[in-house]
Amino acid sequence: MSGLGAEAARSVSDYIRAELAEVEPVGSGKLIGRAPVAPHLRSAAGGMCTGALLTLIDFAGGFDAGLASLPDGWVVTTSLHARLLATTHVGPLRVDAEVARSGRTSVVTPVTVHDEGAGDAVVARAVLTSAVLPPEGGPPQWARPARIAVGGGAADPPAMPEWLGART
């Protein structure tokens, strides 16, 4: 997420249909997000495919870590450890991220995903570690409390492998 500005954030947000919001008070290190289990992201098992779920976790955890690194830098994910607990999801999925440690060179952010449509069942637990880097031109500017809203995106987006340009 290095140098993630509003335009790049909206592109990911539009594709996975995720909305993120910094929890007040600003600087608390907490973020909450929601995403439907959209048809283009469903796996054969019926839930959000693993790649999309990990993208959602990285998107929320990385954005939370980036906000914690301001005003001096922004972040790039260096590791993501996740345990996926459910493969079928009703949705919407709620993502809770809270910075556990924020230092000069790295940020550690635990992330939990719940299926609100399945009685808040835990879908995944993860820990994201991000390196703090001073981006060329300075870190992105965000109005606080920061929010990323779905802007619309394609009406019928392609499946994840096609969106990423992956080939077998």
Side-chain angles (χ1 to χ4, degrees):
M1 293 188 61
S2 179
L4 179 67
E7 185 177 321
R10 185 165 318 287
S11 175
V12 174
S13 176
D14 286 350
Y15 183 73
I16 60 174
R17 310 277 204 250
E19 295 192 350
L20 305 177
E22 182 178 20
V23 175
E24 293 193 66
V26 168
S28 68
K30 296 180 184 179
L31 178 133
I32 191 167
R34 285 195 173 68
V37 184
H40 68 287
L41 301 176
R42 283 197 184 269
S43 70
M48 187 178 279
C49 70
T50 302
L53 189 55
L54 292 171
T55 299
L56 177 62
I57 290 167
D58 184 48
F59 182 51
F63 187 57
D64 197 25
L67 293 172
S69 71
L70 293 175
D72 301 320
W74 197 247
V75 297
V76 60
T77 301
T78 55
S79 69
L80 171 59
H81 298 273
R83 181 173 184 171
L84 309 180
L85 305 169
T87 58
T88 58
H89 315 121
V90 177
L93 301 181
R94 186 183 77 244
V95 185
D96 297 311
E98 184 172 0
V99 171
R101 187 182 68 75
S102 180
R104 210 173 94 273
T105 60
S106 67
V107 181
V108 177
T109 310
V111 178
T112 304
V113 181
H114 296 269
D115 188 341
E116 292 185 329
D120 248 10
V122 176
V123 170
R125 293 187 191 279
V127 176
L128 183 87
T129 304
S130 306
V132 178
L133 303 172
E136 189 174 311
Q141 301 297 308
W142 289 93
R144 306 293 287 272
R147 299 182 67 81
I148 297 175
V150 176
D156 190 20
M160 191 155 224
E162 185 181 340
W163 183 67
L164 292 172
R167 291 180 271 173
T168 56

